[in-house]
Amino acid sequence: MSLRSRTVWAPLALLLAGGAVAAGRQTPAPELRTLAYATRDGAELKLDLYLPPSASGTKSPVILFLHGGGWSGGTRTTGPDFTRYFAQDGFAMASIEYRLTPAITFPSNVEDVRTAVRWLKANAAAHGLDPERICLWGTSAGGHLAAVASLAPRGMFEGTDNLTQSSAVQCVLDAYGPTRFDVMDAQTQAERADLQRPVVEIAVGGRGRGAPPAAPGGPPPAGRGAAATPHDDPASPESRLLGAPVQSAADRVRAASPITYVGPGAPPFLIMHGLADSSVPHGQSVLLYDALKAAGRPVTLRLVDGLPHTFFNRTDLDEAAGPFAMQVREYGGEGAEVRRVERAGVFAAARDFFRRHLK
């Protein structure tokens, strides 16, 4: 996507917010509670709840994090440091485990997400949470689950627990999540010639500092490129999620696509994708943005120069390599779309989105 509008600098607060937790800053540590939110097949599904340091008696807005891992891997600790992002900003952070393939197929994991949302609402008073201010934040496979869970109509993919509660959420941050499985290989091929070289490496498991920025002129790190399993392959993560090869299961592809459920009740979305992503083509994020815009829903798309897949797993990313040039498309729900290019930290942009919609 090419933007010809002038480059603008993000507000100073947005640029610097990625480093808001400065060295030597003395703040109380968030409280961690590990809790079971459901039981499936005799096993507990757990979440880690990070409660922000705040005055007693306040109700904390909640960000529910959904990890990546191709729907078959990852844990509730796969991601950045949740005490920093964003418990120290006054949000309660809840990171869940959900059922994984091949033990399950779609939509069991979406049911787990909606079950976790309802559990948080049903138990909000016990943990000082605000049940009316909950946002989903998913990365990769978790971004896909966040999109489907937030867009599917009430009564679908709900599971069986706390059904008197609504699974509706107030906003969604979908980071590099797949959107429509049956066009992923075609998009990957179309984007290959313009795929950017990563400016930084990301530790797969998250929480760490990752690797130093890549040296100029060297080969890009290995990723899900030409040598990786095609998305249409029967062994691909997408086929395993569906329980059938992607191109043989049109009904399942449609059921698993968040675009299927875009409608007038969709919450505000922030969609972020790196332009050095060799695992999920950034065209997947463009498809979801276009669908939400066509439905008249508030949505922002940020395509980030030089960032590979799983970039939110690196806690120090903004300090190590930011601010990043971003191609931004923004639609407020009415009027004209705004396009611009700006520089900002990725965590800073996420923080700004959560503050606008949860505070």
Side-chain angles (χ1 to χ4, degrees), residues 279-359:
S279 296
V280 174
H282 69 263
Q284 292 284 291
S285 288
V286 175
L287 285 174
L288 182 56
Y289 172 86
D290 286 341
L292 287 162
K293 177 177 175 288
R297 303 308 302 153
V299 56
T300 300
L301 173 68
R302 290 178 175 266
L303 300 179
V304 189
D305 276 2
L307 286 190
H309 202 60
T310 72
F311 61 76
F312 268 125
N313 282 5
R314 181 165 174 176
T315 296
D316 73 335
L317 181 59
D318 285 354
E319 296 89 345
F324 303 93
M326 301 184 184
Q327 300 178 24
V328 183
R329 295 174 61 183
E330 190 166 22
Y331 181 69
E334 59 184 7
E337 174 191 71
V338 175
R339 296 193 180 201
R340 65 185 183 275
V341 177
E342 68 180 34
R343 297 186 68 87
V346 294
F347 285 101
R351 179 187 286 111
D352 181 67
F353 175 74
F354 292 136
R355 283 177 171 167
R356 274 191 288 125
H357 294 288
L358 292 180
K359 289 190 173 184

Side-chain angles (χ1 to χ4, degrees), residues 101-180:
T101 63
I104 58 91
T105 56
F106 182 88
S108 294
N109 40 18
V110 178
E111 292 176 2
D112 295 342
V113 175
R114 286 194 146 186
T115 296
V117 172
R118 293 197 311 275
W119 185 94
L120 288 167
K121 292 183 178 183
N123 293 275
H127 302 288
L129 309 177
D130 187 340
E132 301 303 319
R133 292 186 293 168
I134 298 178
C135 189
L136 295 179
W137 173 17
T139 61
S140 192
H144 164 262
L145 297 179
V148 176
S150 64
L151 293 171
R154 186 166 185 175
M156 182 178 286
F157 311 145
E158 294 286 7
T160 58
D161 304 283
N162 295 306
L163 292 178
T164 58
Q165 302 289 334
S166 167
S167 58
V169 296
Q170 279 59 59
C171 59
V172 180
L173 197 173
D174 173 3
Y176 38 87
T179 295
R180 185 177 158 187

Side-chain angles (χ1 to χ4, degrees), residues 260-273:
T260 301
Y261 310 108
V262 169
F269 265 70
L270 170 60
I271 306 169
M272 300 183 72
H273 212 121

